[in-house]
Amino acid sequence: MNNFKKYTYCPICKSEKIKQKYTDVLSQDKKNFNIFECDDCRLQFVAEKLSPEYIENFYCKVKDTSEHTYSDENIENLNYYYKSLKKYIETNFIQKGKILDIGCSSGYFLDIMDGWERYGVEISTKYAEIAKQKYKDKIFTGSIADYTWQENFFDVITLQDSLDHMLNPVDIIKKCNYLLKPNGILVIKVHNMDCLYAKLSGKNFYAFIPPEHLFYFNKKSLSCLLNLNGFRAVSFNYFAHMLKLKTIFLRLSHSVENSIYYKIYKYMKERKIGDIKFKKNLHDIVTVFAKKEI
């Protein structure tokens, strides 16, 4: 990692009061990364300032870790959360309207949002093509940074398991502000670094998979990011998720194929025991709902 400079300030609040949190966090391609933490907003982030070229090359070389999660075989588990999210949006904010899902994968969440005018952005050509079969030209293949759409168009924008992958969260939130109508709702789902599980696990917490995940949030850092970029956090929610038993070991393995956890995952993948389902809510996932300030 010597080719990359390190941050000298927090990427969100610009504070220079940052410190080393963890060292030698192993990536899927066996590179070691450092994690910094901001004393002011409590954001944790990969210390190295990685280039878009490095990220693109990484994804070309390594195994797609999302192929288990965003698959037809796992759709029932995905829908458990998606239905909770749909119900919360329609009960507390708006029942119908225009919705954009950034990082929409194959369009599984959009499938749940029946009655809405549905749009998606997906950087993976493979997943975007599947979504396009259902939603045609309302799916954009590429980065949200390159997404050209009219200002003040959407009622709701969702970022589910995608903001922590992006090189510049501030630019993403600003783009969402541009695209949302006044009083529009932004929904962000990320891992919660304040949960007990994360604190006990330290750098072994399953969300630490750099450079796939570059930023690690909690309520304070999310609130700071939103407040500085034209939003007000309305609520923080910890919806339960449905998981298969084998998924636990896949996450614990950080997708490192020579780890004991990955070997257990492969063993369970071929057997019925791996498909046993259960509800999980360790507050390790937080969903924040924020309103665009007029």
Side-chain angles (χ1 to χ4, degrees):
M1 303 311 301
N2 294 331
N3 294 332
F4 292 100
K5 295 181 180 179
K6 293 182 180 179
Y7 281 97
T8 58
Y9 57 88
C10 173
I12 286 180
C13 72
K14 310 306 179 187
S15 169
E16 295 181 358
K17 292 190 287 185
I18 58 176
K19 62 187 178 185
Q20 188 91 34
K21 180 73 174 179
Y22 301 118
T23 59
D24 299 328
V25 178
L26 189 64
S27 72
Q28 192 180 346
D29 62 348
K30 298 181 174 58
K31 299 285 195 310
N32 285 318
F33 289 85
N34 298 282
I35 305 296
F36 281 178
E37 183 175 39
C38 175
D39 279 341
D40 284 340
C41 76
R42 304 266 320 284
L43 176 73
Q44 296 179 34
F45 54 97
V46 172
E48 289 77 17
K49 299 179 76 170
L50 304 179
S51 65
E53 293 76 19
Y54 179 86
I55 298 296
E56 182 178 356
N57 185 54
F58 169 81
Y59 281 112
C60 287
K61 290 192 305 182
V62 303
K63 183 179 176 65
D64 182 1
T65 58
S66 67
E67 63 181 10
H68 165 71
T69 301
Y70 299 103
S71 65
D72 290 341
E73 124 179 59
N74 199 46
I75 190 169
E76 185 179 348
N77 294 334
L78 289 172
N79 286 348
Y80 186 84
Y81 169 83
Y82 292 154
K83 288 176 181 178
S84 296
L85 181 56
K86 180 179 190 286
K87 181 179 179 180
Y88 193 89
I89 291 171
E90 293 181 350
T91 300
N92 294 279
F93 299 110
I94 180 173
Q95 291 188 339
K96 295 291 182 290
K98 298 181 179 70
I99 189 166
L100 172 67
D101 187 25
I102 300 174
C104 69
S105 187
S106 301
Y108 292 129
F109 172 64
L110 296 177
D111 295 344
I112 291 296
M113 300 302 290
D114 52 290
W116 287 68
E117 190 174 332
R118 293 166 275 190
Y119 297 76
V121 173
E122 174 53 47
I123 199 166
S124 165
T125 302
K126 178 177 74 171
Y127 295 126
E129 287 304 314
I130 298 172
K132 281 182 177 180
Q133 291 174 16
K134 296 177 281 188
Y135 301 106
K136 311 302 181 188
D137 59 357
K138 290 181 179 177
I139 302 298
F140 174 76
T141 306
S143 166
I144 183 63
D146 300 322
Y147 184 59
T148 55
W149 207 263
Q150 67 192 69
E151 188 177 5
N152 301 331
F153 183 79
F154 294 103
D155 297 284
V156 177
I157 295 177
T158 62
L159 284 154
Q160 302 178 62
D161 304 306
S162 56
L163 185 64
D164 42 9
H165 290 255
M166 297 176 178
L167 282 167
N168 195 330
V170 171
D171 287 350
I172 302 305
I173 301 305
K174 287 180 177 177
K175 185 66 172 280
C176 291
N177 189 285
Y178 173 84
L179 293 169
L180 274 172
K181 295 177 181 179
N183 289 318
I185 300 301
L186 177 62
V187 182
I188 301 173
K189 175 194 173 195
V190 287
H191 294 94
N192 172 30
M193 303 313 294
D194 270 352
C195 74
L196 181 61
Y197 181 21
K199 291 178 178 178
L200 292 175
S201 300
K203 71 178 184 181
N204 295 315
F205 184 49
Y206 71 89
F208 281 121
I209 48 171
E212 292 182 62
H213 292 167
L214 298 169
F215 297 92
Y216 309 92
F217 297 93
N218 60 12
K219 286 176 67 173
K220 185 171 183 179
S221 55
L222 283 169
S223 295
C224 181
L225 174 62
L226 292 164
N227 292 343
L228 289 174
N229 295 287
F231 288 93
R232 175 176 56 87
V234 176
S235 66
F236 292 85
N237 296 72
Y238 303 94
F239 297 116
H241 288 65
M242 188 77 75
L243 290 178
K244 291 183 178 179
L245 185 59
K246 62 186 177 186
T247 305
I248 296 175
F249 294 96
L250 177 62
R251 291 182 177 177
L252 288 173
S253 75
H254 293 214
S255 295
V256 177
E257 294 190 5
N258 63 354
S259 72
I260 184 63
Y261 292 120
Y262 195 86
K263 290 175 182 177
I264 295 172
Y265 161 70
K266 286 190 69 176
Y267 176 86
M268 289 192 168
K269 186 178 179 182
E270 305 300 325
R271 290 159 177 83
K272 289 183 179 180
I273 188 175
D275 290 326
I276 293 173
K277 292 183 290 187
F278 62 95
K279 294 178 188 177
K280 184 258 307 181
N281 193 351
L282 300 173
H283 284 206
D284 53 323
I285 304 291
V286 59
T287 305
V288 56
F289 298 81
K291 183 172 289 190
K292 177 179 173 178
E293 300 276 51
I294 300 174

